[in-house]
Amino acid sequence: MKIDKAKLQVRNNEIWDRLDEIENLAKRENRSFTDEEKQEYDSLVRESAKNTEMLKSEAVGAELSKIREAADKSANLREYLQGVRQKREDNVLTLAAKSPADGSSITESGAVNLYIHDVLDTQLEGLGLPQGVSLLTGVTSDEVWPVNVNDAEMEEVGEIQPVNEQSINFDNVKAVSRRVSLAIGVSNKAIDYAAFDLFGFIQFKIRKAFAIYLAKKVYSHAAWNGNKGPFSLVTAKTLDLSTDPFKKILMAVADIARLGFEGTPVFTIDKVTEAELKATLKTAGVPGYIIENGLLAGYPYTTSGHINKTLSGNKYEDDGRYIGIGFWDWMSIQQHGDVRLTIDATSAQVAKSNKTVVVFSTEISMTELSSKINGNDSGKPQAFELYKISNDSLSDI
């Protein structure tokens, strides 16, 4: 019987989601798995391993090579983690080769050849970044963007009249990197089960956590102490969409474009606002909706509930409903230096939970680039705007 490979791959992703939920719940409650959770976890690990073997049996050519490569990485990572548990290996390693070699690189250990672009994929549903935002990995030195603060102007002068000398002033924008880390608990059952895609599972957890981190930072208007996105740097304006919503949305874009920003702006809204704008006519009595054919007022958009979020004390919560507009070429996100994994398999807390904790660490910078150009002295971004929707519902339009 021929298997449905797409369904098996989807099922494995569902399994990894559930494994992640079980581990995170135990972590939040600072406890080991219950008997029921152990049984479910073990059953899911076995099912995922069986699915992977079935996929392998049906694969040919490049697809089979890719599966075998993942299996090799899982085997190498499994061997390394088991070595740490038995205290045969150093518990700190990097994900890139070191020069000169110092023994701490994962490529030297032979454990797994994992590159930074393997783990910084943010393409998870609902968390994707807007087109135009750059994500540069492997930055090894300080990044500085020179900024031309003012322009020179042409003058009409007489035949022998001297031309006034004009100064061109320069400033700069500098990236500030900050340590980013997450701890990933993995059941020893998953590590020991030979056919389980351990590499894929850990990579999945890192990618998922990193995507959530980026979405929170990039989209929310929370006043984070460290890295923060452009919407946290602007002062939100009020947008009343109870009348002429299409015109007002276009004028909001024009307010940024008139400052000289060209290219394609991207809107960010939540799912409720998306649904309402899909049902809102551009002009009363005339066919055509504000969102149609995958575009909002003719421009691309993303959806994220994080656009509504702010910090109230220590709580990360909704603060109404917002529309964000950004020319995302003016936002740079960079990963700096080494990526390290620290493995804890022997501490008392970890040992009693029958799991191994993998701690992922690197440095990330988020730099907004439009704040200083054109003689701007407000210190605020000019290529981004945030609007709070003043009316409770667009459906009454």
Side-chain angles (χ1 to χ4, degrees), residues 5 79 111 141 186 208 211 218 263 292 314 377 387:
K5 292 188 286 186
E79 180 182 352
S141 59
V186 183
K208 181 178 179 181
V218 168
E292 60 182 5
N314 292 324
D377 59 4
Y387 290 89

mmCIF file of all heavy atoms in Angstrom, residues 5 79 111 141 186 208 211 218 263 292 314 377 387:
data_model
loop_
_atom_site.group_PDB
_atom_site.id
_atom_site.type_symbol
_atom_site.label_atom_id
_atom_site.label_comp_id
_atom_site.label_asym_id
_atom_site.label_seq_id
_atom_site.Cartn_x
_atom_site.Cartn_y
_atom_site.Cartn_z
ATOM 1 N N LYS A 5 2.841 10.558 1.847
ATOM 2 C CA LYS A 5 4.006 11.176 2.491
ATOM 3 C C LYS A 5 3.669 12.527 3.098
ATOM 4 O O LYS A 5 4.165 12.864 4.184
ATOM 5 C CB LYS A 5 5.144 11.304 1.478
ATOM 6 C CG LYS A 5 5.721 9.968 1.044
ATOM 7 C CD LYS A 5 6.968 10.133 0.198
ATOM 8 C CE LYS A 5 6.630 10.609 -1.193
ATOM 9 N NZ LYS A 5 7.816 10.639 -2.078
ATOM 10 N N GLU A 79 24.607 10.636 19.978
ATOM 11 C CA GLU A 79 25.845 10.122 20.555
ATOM 12 C C GLU A 79 26.514 11.168 21.443
ATOM 13 O O GLU A 79 27.013 10.849 22.524
ATOM 14 C CB GLU A 79 26.792 9.698 19.434
ATOM 15 C CG GLU A 79 28.124 9.146 19.926
ATOM 16 C CD GLU A 79 29.054 8.777 18.780
ATOM 17 O OE1 GLU A 79 28.617 8.811 17.618
ATOM 18 O OE2 GLU A 79 30.231 8.476 19.058
ATOM 19 N N ALA A 111 29.910 15.821 16.281
ATOM 20 C CA ALA A 111 28.553 15.542 16.747
ATOM 21 C C ALA A 111 27.519 15.833 15.682
ATOM 22 O O ALA A 111 26.748 14.970 15.300
ATOM 23 C CB ALA A 111 28.257 16.360 18.003
ATOM 24 N N SER A 141 31.618 41.416 13.405
ATOM 25 C CA SER A 141 32.187 42.689 13.850
ATOM 26 C C SER A 141 31.065 43.697 14.047
ATOM 27 O O SER A 141 29.919 43.449 13.674
ATOM 28 C CB SER A 141 33.193 43.221 12.823
ATOM 29 O OG SER A 141 32.569 43.407 11.569
ATOM 30 N N VAL A 186 14.631 17.905 26.704
ATOM 31 C CA VAL A 186 14.332 16.773 25.833
ATOM 32 C C VAL A 186 14.348 15.500 26.675
ATOM 33 O O VAL A 186 15.321 15.216 27.374
ATOM 34 C CB VAL A 186 15.364 16.646 24.693
ATOM 35 C CG1 VAL A 186 14.985 15.509 23.754
ATOM 36 C CG2 VAL A 186 15.472 17.947 23.916
ATOM 37 N N LYS A 208 10.962 27.291 16.450
ATOM 38 C CA LYS A 208 9.666 27.758 16.948
ATOM 39 C C LYS A 208 9.855 28.858 17.992
ATOM 40 O O LYS A 208 9.204 29.904 17.939
ATOM 41 C CB LYS A 208 8.893 26.582 17.545
ATOM 42 C CG LYS A 208 7.514 26.926 18.072
ATOM 43 C CD LYS A 208 6.829 25.670 18.598
ATOM 44 C CE LYS A 208 5.458 25.980 19.162
ATOM 45 N NZ LYS A 208 4.810 24.749 19.707
ATOM 46 N N ALA A 211 11.137 32.054 16.373
ATOM 47 C CA ALA A 211 10.091 32.741 15.619
ATOM 48 C C ALA A 211 9.181 33.531 16.543
ATOM 49 O O ALA A 211 8.783 34.663 16.241
ATOM 50 C CB ALA A 211 9.286 31.735 14.801
ATOM 51 N N VAL A 218 9.503 42.273 17.019
ATOM 52 C CA VAL A 218 9.339 43.052 15.797
ATOM 53 C C VAL A 218 7.970 43.723 15.740
ATOM 54 O O VAL A 218 7.853 44.890 15.351
ATOM 55 C CB VAL A 218 9.558 42.157 14.559
ATOM 56 C CG1 VAL A 218 9.113 42.854 13.290
ATOM 57 C CG2 VAL A 218 11.040 41.784 14.450
ATOM 58 N N GLY A 263 9.354 52.355 -2.242
ATOM 59 C CA GLY A 263 9.291 50.913 -2.107
ATOM 60 C C GLY A 263 7.893 50.481 -1.715
ATOM 61 O O GLY A 263 6.918 51.215 -1.914
ATOM 62 N N GLU A 292 -8.633 42.491 -0.495
ATOM 63 C CA GLU A 292 -9.054 41.577 -1.548
ATOM 64 C C GLU A 292 -7.828 41.145 -2.336
ATOM 65 O O GLU A 292 -6.829 41.874 -2.411
ATOM 66 C CB GLU A 292 -10.100 42.215 -2.467
ATOM 67 C CG GLU A 292 -9.650 43.472 -3.173
ATOM 68 C CD GLU A 292 -10.752 44.081 -4.032
ATOM 69 O OE1 GLU A 292 -11.882 43.565 -3.999
ATOM 70 O OE2 GLU A 292 -10.464 45.060 -4.746
ATOM 71 N N ASN A 314 4.769 43.752 34.378
ATOM 72 C CA ASN A 314 5.452 42.579 33.847
ATOM 73 C C ASN A 314 4.547 41.749 32.945
ATOM 74 O O ASN A 314 4.944 40.683 32.487
ATOM 75 C CB ASN A 314 5.961 41.701 35.004
ATOM 76 C CG ASN A 314 7.077 42.367 35.784
ATOM 77 O OD1 ASN A 314 7.901 43.067 35.200
ATOM 78 N ND2 ASN A 314 7.108 42.157 37.093
ATOM 79 N N ASP A 377 15.360 65.086 14.032
ATOM 80 C CA ASP A 377 15.973 65.200 15.362
ATOM 81 C C ASP A 377 15.054 64.686 16.458
ATOM 82 O O ASP A 377 15.305 64.905 17.642
ATOM 83 C CB ASP A 377 16.389 66.645 15.646
ATOM 84 C CG ASP A 377 15.208 67.610 15.573
ATOM 85 O OD1 ASP A 377 14.052 67.161 15.385
ATOM 86 O OD2 ASP A 377 15.437 68.839 15.707
ATOM 87 N N TYR A 387 -0.963 52.813 14.412
ATOM 88 C CA TYR A 387 -2.257 53.466 14.596
ATOM 89 C C TYR A 387 -3.152 52.605 15.475
ATOM 90 O O TYR A 387 -3.336 51.412 15.218
ATOM 91 C CB TYR A 387 -2.950 53.686 13.254
ATOM 92 C CG TYR A 387 -2.284 54.730 12.393
ATOM 93 C CD1 TYR A 387 -1.263 54.381 11.516
ATOM 94 C CD2 TYR A 387 -2.670 56.067 12.461
ATOM 95 C CE1 TYR A 387 -0.644 55.340 10.719
ATOM 96 C CE2 TYR A 387 -2.060 57.035 11.679
ATOM 97 C CZ TYR A 387 -1.044 56.656 10.813
ATOM 98 O OH TYR A 387 -0.435 57.610 10.028
#
